[in-house]
Amino acid sequence: MAIAATIPSAQFGGLRPAECQGLVKKSVEPILKTENLWKLYRAGKVEVPALRGVNFAVQPGESVAVMGPSGCGKSTLLYVIGGLASASRGTVLVDGNDLAEMSDAERTKLRRSKIGFVFQRFNLLPTMTAKGNIAIAQYIHGDGFDPHRFAVVTKLLGLEGRLNHKPSEMSGGEQQRVAIARAIINEPKILLADEPTGNLDTKNSDVVLEMLRQLNKELGQTIVMITHNPEAVTYFDRVVHMRDGVIVDGIPAD
């Protein structure tokens, strides 16, 4: 007799054992997926492939580091999956949405509602305080200022004592944490980070990486980070290596 059949249905929330087995077998769809993804750039009459048939998937709540040497295509991959650049061919699915089938306006709306970006350069508004730089993202999103979400994010990122300071009055690590707060303040389903520690010293790099890990573990934030820093990968669930426009493997982080 199957084990499930010996347990009262009440223990399964009122479902019959057969229905429960169906729920257990149901797999979670990736929140981000590419299939045979190509990106070609033209140099004169020559086509140069930056991505060559990339197959890549990220599950909801997963943190993935993409590593590789300069010119391997990792930043191009981030721009394409983030809808900042179009694929030459292949499929990009973001939360079930096929980017190739969307207009520019639809992709812009999707980015605004589902994706947060963090770049190597902080891109903060120099005349605004940390609070203003974060809050403006909420107003642009259209929902207005949410004090509860603001308090949760700034506390988690250790910014409570720096909110009234302008970028010129903050360290590089603090500025990057403000940029991360701005990226996640509207609860995007995916956070894409392109070399977020590239301009930071070792101490500040470790602080920012630990903050990203906390966002993933405590808030369930899905994160894809591009890096060439081998020490950064220890903060992530999975490491993917790229070379010459292709993914060469995917291994669990130590």
Side-chain angles (χ1 to χ4, degrees), residues 25 55 58 68 70 87 91 115 140 165 175 189 208 211 227:
K25 292 179 181 178
N55 296 306
V58 178
S70 297
T91 302
I115 304 174
I140 291 173
H165 291 72
Q175 290 183 66
K189 292 195 172 185
V208 167
M211 295 298 179
T227 185

Side-chain angles (χ1 to χ4, degrees), residues 117-122 124 130 133-134 153-163 170-185 191 196-197 200 203-212 214-215:
F117 293 94
V118 178
F119 298 101
Q120 185 172 336
R121 297 191 177 200
F122 316 128
L124 301 179
N133 269 282
I134 300 167
V153 168
T154 53
K155 181 178 180 179
L156 183 61
L157 292 173
L159 290 170
E160 294 167 293
R162 309 298 288 169
L163 293 176
M170 295 184 286
S171 69
E174 289 169 340
Q175 290 183 66
Q176 191 60 289
R177 279 185 276 156
V178 172
I180 293 171
R182 180 183 59 193
I184 67 166
I185 193 67
L191 178 64
T197 62
L200 305 179
K203 181 179 179 180
N204 279 305
S205 292
D206 290 343
V207 170
V208 167
L209 291 170
E210 180 58 34
M211 295 298 179
L212 290 173
Q214 289 185 35
L215 288 174

Side-chain angles (χ1 to χ4, degrees), residues 70-86:
S70 297
C72 72
K74 58 186 186 295
S75 289
T76 300
L77 175 63
L78 183 137
Y79 294 150
V80 174
I81 63 180
L84 296 174
S86 59

Side-chain angles (χ1 to χ4, degrees), residues 39-229:
K39 179 62 178 178
L40 305 173
Y41 292 102
R42 188 170 290 276
K45 296 182 179 180
V46 179
E47 284 190 338
V48 180
L51 299 175
R52 301 188 296 154
V54 172
N55 296 306
F56 179 57
V58 178
Q59 298 298 325
E62 188 178 21
S63 64
V64 180
V66 181
M67 283 195 66
S70 297
C72 72
K74 58 186 186 295
S75 289
T76 300
L77 175 63
L78 183 137
Y79 294 150
V80 174
I81 63 180
L84 296 174
S86 59
S88 298
R89 59 179 181 267
T91 302
V92 180
L93 298 174
V94 177
D95 197 26
N97 298 277
D98 188 339
L99 297 189
E101 297 180 353
M102 304 176 76
S103 66
D104 289 343
E106 289 171 334
R107 284 194 294 271
T108 298
K109 184 177 180 180
L110 180 138
R111 284 196 303 270
R112 191 168 58 199
S113 62
K114 296 184 182 292
I115 304 174
F117 293 94
V118 178
F119 298 101
Q120 185 172 336
R121 297 191 177 200
F122 316 128
N123 296 321
L124 301 179
L125 298 173
T127 60
M128 299 186 73
T129 63
K131 180 178 180 179
N133 269 282
I134 300 167
I136 194 172
Q138 289 187 314
Y139 289 110
I140 291 173
H141 190 260
D143 294 333
F145 183 68
D146 180 347
H148 174 71
R149 175 70 178 179
F150 185 91
V152 169
V153 168
T154 53
K155 181 178 180 179
L156 183 61
L157 292 173
L159 290 170
E160 294 167 293
R162 309 298 288 169
L163 293 176
N164 293 321
H165 291 72
K166 293 181 179 179
S168 60
E169 302 169 326
M170 295 184 286
S171 69
E174 289 169 340
Q175 290 183 66
Q176 191 60 289
R177 279 185 276 156
V178 172
I180 293 171
R182 180 183 59 193
I184 67 166
I185 193 67
N186 294 313
E187 302 183 65
K189 292 195 172 185
I190 304 167
L191 178 64
L192 301 179
D194 188 12
E195 299 280 7
T197 62
N199 285 336
L200 305 179
D201 59 27
T202 300
K203 181 179 179 180
N204 279 305
S205 292
D206 290 343
V207 170
V208 167
L209 291 170
E210 180 58 34
M211 295 298 179
L212 290 173
R213 176 157 59 185
Q214 289 185 35
L215 288 174
N216 174 252
K217 301 308 177 188
E218 297 184 23
L219 299 184
Q221 180 69 61
T222 304
I223 301 175
V224 178
M225 187 183 82
I226 304 302
T227 185
H228 62 261
N229 179 2

